[in-house]
Amino acid sequence: MTIRTSVITAVRDGANFIAEAIRSALPQLEPGDEWFVINDHSTDETSTIVKSFGDPRIQLLDAQGRGMSAARNDGLQKAQGEYVAFLDHDDLWPPGRHAAMRARLDAMPAIDAVVGRLRVRFEPDAVAVEDYRKFDGQYVKDANVGPFLFRRSIIRRGGDFAADMPHGEDVDFIRRLKECGMQIELMDIDSLIYRRHATNVTNDRAAMRGGVFDALRRKLARARTRTDNA
């Protein structure tokens, strides 16, 4: 059976949210699709919850605490789908998202990725970071892989996530794909519900700014290398 889509979810201590994430996306997948949930040394009931779904498409892997980027890379190494989607354990797929995005890529072979709008949901315990309110309903195509559906072929060209980046890894990953010539099409749909809550990694604003600066530094270093090799 052909594998159309590989979904990759890296998670650490995601018991509060991961069941909802799976319930939002699993009905949207085809029978032959695959979903890699990479458990990065959780100490809560994450593994038990994932196993409780009993769906053969979901494969639970152990990342042994090497970090979320390394966990995603474990999923990429296993992925065999034509298309690749990343869904964080605390985010959700809006209904109909995947079928619309998959159909668009099917119809447009020259496009490497499609991206829809981000919707932001604030949970009652969310840390008040007003910057995120402005992202609601917008195309966030430079800093978050979640709203995308990628062809696996462009990811093979761009490479894995930078495992040594605890923050800013999505920015770096997307920039490297663009440097490889990734062609993106914007779709007039909501493609991700991004949840803000007390345990978001992005609550550490100083660390996030440092990650973005690190991604920029790496981009400039790659540009210098290309110039030197020209």
Side-chain angles (χ1 to χ4, degrees):
M1 183 179 294
T2 301
I3 300 174
R4 300 294 311 285
T5 304
S6 301
V7 181
I8 296 173
T9 298
V11 55
R12 177 181 294 172
D13 293 337
N16 288 341
F17 299 109
I18 194 164
E20 291 178 82
I22 293 174
R23 285 195 292 267
S24 76
L26 193 59
Q28 302 191 43
L29 299 181
E30 296 181 317
D33 289 341
E34 59 186 11
W35 191 337
F36 298 102
V37 178
I38 307 95
N39 181 21
D40 190 43
H41 201 59
S42 294
T43 58
D44 62 7
E45 298 300 312
T46 293
S47 293
T48 300
I49 293 169
V50 174
K51 291 175 182 177
S52 72
F53 282 86
D55 193 297
R57 291 170 293 183
I58 300 176
Q59 302 181 44
L60 184 63
L61 308 177
D62 184 4
Q64 301 178 342
R66 291 180 291 113
M68 301 307 280
S69 290
R72 281 176 170 173
N73 291 340
D74 288 348
L76 284 174
Q77 290 174 11
K78 296 278 189 179
Q80 296 297 313
E82 180 181 0
Y83 304 136
V84 173
F86 299 96
L87 178 61
D88 286 352
H89 78 276
D90 49 356
D91 294 337
L92 305 166
W93 278 5
R97 174 254 203 215
H98 187 58
M101 300 180 87
R102 186 181 59 222
R104 193 59 180 160
L105 286 177
D106 285 346
M108 299 287 290
I111 299 299
D112 299 304
V114 289
V115 60
R117 294 182 299 265
L118 186 78
R119 307 306 311 203
V120 182
R121 177 184 296 180
F122 291 88
E123 301 298 333
D125 64 349
V127 175
V129 180
E130 289 300 318
D131 288 355
Y132 286 98
R133 295 191 184 278
K134 67 184 180 183
F135 293 136
D136 185 47
Q138 302 300 312
Y139 293 103
V140 182
K141 59 184 186 300
D142 298 313
N144 189 330
V145 296
F148 282 84
L149 181 64
F150 299 95
R151 292 191 193 275
R152 187 162 61 93
S153 56
I154 190 64
I155 293 176
R156 289 200 301 266
R157 287 164 55 191
D160 291 345
F161 288 86
D164 61 338
M165 291 185 71
H167 302 283
E169 68 280 5
D170 282 20
V171 176
D172 177 71
F173 183 78
I174 294 169
R175 283 178 175 171
R176 284 189 285 110
L177 294 182
K178 289 182 176 179
E179 290 166 18
C180 290
M182 178 173 63
Q183 298 297 307
I184 302 172
E185 179 167 303
L186 305 183
M187 293 189 64
D188 187 21
I189 63 169
D190 296 335
S191 62
L192 187 74
I193 299 171
Y194 173 65
R195 297 169 70 157
R196 297 293 306 164
H197 53 84
T199 56
N200 285 118
V201 173
T202 50
N203 287 335
D204 188 338
R205 300 298 291 158
M208 291 305 300
R209 285 193 295 270
V212 172
F213 286 132
D214 188 17
L216 176 59
R217 178 185 60 79
R218 292 170 186 241
K219 177 182 178 180
L220 295 174
R222 291 191 298 270
R224 285 194 297 270
T225 299
R226 288 193 296 270
T227 301
D228 293 342
N229 292 336

